[in-house]
Amino acid sequence: MTVGVALNASDAPNQVDATVQLAREAAQFGLASAWFGQTFGADSPQLAAIVGREVPGLHVGTSAIPVFGRHPLLVSSQAQTAQAATHGRYHLGLALGTKLLTEAGFGLPFERPIARLREFLTALRQLTETGTADFHGELLTAATPVPARVPGAENGVPLLVAAMGPQALRVSGELADGILPYLAGPRALADHIVPALTAAAEAAGRPSPRIVALVPGVVTDDVDAARAKATEDLAFYEQIPSYARVIELSGGQRAADLAVIGDEKIVEAEVRRYRDAGATEVVFSGTEIAGEADRRRTWRLLGDLAR
């Protein structure tokens, strides 16, 4: 199992410079990967490409780009460019997104998300594996009158999906290389997510899927303050049905119940619980919520666990 961190420098004077510095620090602590979210700010594949060039050896990924408001041809260009820039260390994460951000931001109806995900993945895999596509679906068309291959990305791009519900897991098992579940605790992983995903992959004749579990957490002695901050930061997810469902399946009532907060012994034990539940990789997010000293303390422990 590898261990990584999600990097968030959106409050810095220069997000790109600050992200590169954080990534260098992550590599120094022995962490295997750095991941970048995607909203309406920084372009995550571009940020990953820059970090991957500046920090050799560190794997980089996006978690995750919503399929609404994007097109497989454009996402393929971004992903292949990042893969060439990093010499094979880039991992592309996709997501369904949310009704709120899709409709308010893009003015698009949040309709038939599973069908859109299936078509998006089908076209995108053609593009990233062959540099061409001739896909004509109900919701998407992706064709290449000129080649779409980026030299240097011939080995393709790992495709992961932020999937947790039964239908999204089925599509991901059939068409993706793995998943990026967030706020899905060990109980939900072991009892619901991993079995469904694995069964879908086996039925489609695909290799065992990756399960990259994204986990909010921090090593700190001030547990109460960190828990209060996590409760505030994660409350947004409680409004989204897919997250509310997986929080409940994990045994939680609020999103912050899934945050791993405590000393080194507690956090290490929780990381191992995720491994035992089927996670092939663990990525910690929100490690900055208790301040810089505790962020570094967290990264030091995670780096030790990654070795």
Side-chain angles (χ1 to χ4, degrees):
M1 182 182 70
T2 63
V3 182
V5 287
L7 302 183
N8 180 11
S10 57
D11 292 334
N14 185 302
Q15 185 173 354
V16 175
D17 291 345
T19 301
V20 169
Q21 182 56 42
L22 284 172
R24 288 190 178 123
E25 194 174 338
Q28 290 168 359
F29 277 114
L31 291 158
S33 62
W35 296 77
F36 312 96
Q38 181 67 63
T39 53
F40 297 141
D43 181 77
S44 56
Q46 188 172 4
L47 196 57
I50 292 168
V51 167
R53 296 287 286 189
E54 293 285 336
V55 190
L58 188 69
H59 283 254
V60 290
T62 59
S63 178
I65 298 175
V67 295
F68 282 90
R70 272 84 176 178
H71 191 279
L73 281 167
L74 299 180
V75 172
S76 171
S77 293
Q78 291 178 293
Q80 289 190 73
T81 302
Q83 191 66 302
T86 60
H87 294 269
R89 289 178 283 117
Y90 176 69
H91 309 256
L92 172 61
L94 299 172
L96 296 176
T98 68
K99 179 179 177 68
L100 173 63
L101 295 182
T102 298
E103 297 187 348
F106 292 109
L108 297 173
F110 190 73
E111 297 174 349
R112 302 184 65 191
I114 300 299
R116 181 172 293 273
L117 175 65
R118 179 178 291 279
E119 292 192 6
F120 202 102
L121 279 170
T122 301
L124 185 60
R125 187 166 288 284
Q126 291 180 18
L127 290 161
T128 57
E129 290 186 350
T130 70
T132 62
D134 186 17
F135 179 80
H136 303 269
E138 292 183 67
L139 304 173
L140 293 171
T141 294
T144 48
V146 296
R149 166 61 67 211
V150 175
E154 287 82 5
N155 291 330
V157 179
L159 303 180
L160 308 168
V161 179
M164 295 182 291
Q167 294 184 76
L169 288 169
R170 187 179 308 115
V171 172
S172 300
E174 293 173 5
L175 298 172
D177 299 302
I179 59 169
L180 295 155
Y182 182 55
L183 295 177
R187 184 192 301 181
L189 285 176
D191 294 346
H192 301 277
I193 292 174
V194 174
L197 178 71
T198 302
E202 288 177 351
R206 293 194 54 78
S208 297
R210 292 166 58 189
I211 295 94
V212 185
L214 278 84
V215 182
V218 63
V219 176
T220 182
D221 294 325
D222 195 350
V223 173
D224 291 342
R227 182 74 61 186
K229 178 62 173 168
T231 299
E232 178 184 345
D233 290 350
L234 299 174
F236 166 78
Y237 293 97
E238 298 163 11
Q239 308 170 47
I240 302 170
S242 59
Y243 283 102
R245 174 182 175 274
V246 80
I247 290 166
E248 182 178 359
L249 290 175
S250 300
Q253 295 183 329
R254 302 207 63 181
D257 294 337
L258 277 301
V260 176
I261 300 173
D263 62 17
E264 283 82 357
K265 184 177 180 179
I266 288 172
V267 173
E268 178 177 353
E270 286 300 304
V271 170
R272 297 193 185 282
R273 284 187 67 216
Y274 276 91
R275 178 200 62 192
D276 294 342
T280 58
E281 300 152 67
V282 171
V283 175
F284 261 56
S285 67
T287 57
E288 70 282 352
I289 64 169
E292 286 295 288
D294 281 343
R295 176 184 65 77
R296 293 189 177 95
R297 183 179 170 187
T298 306
W299 288 16
R300 184 175 295 108
L301 171 66
L302 297 176
D304 290 342
L305 294 177
R307 292 188 176 94

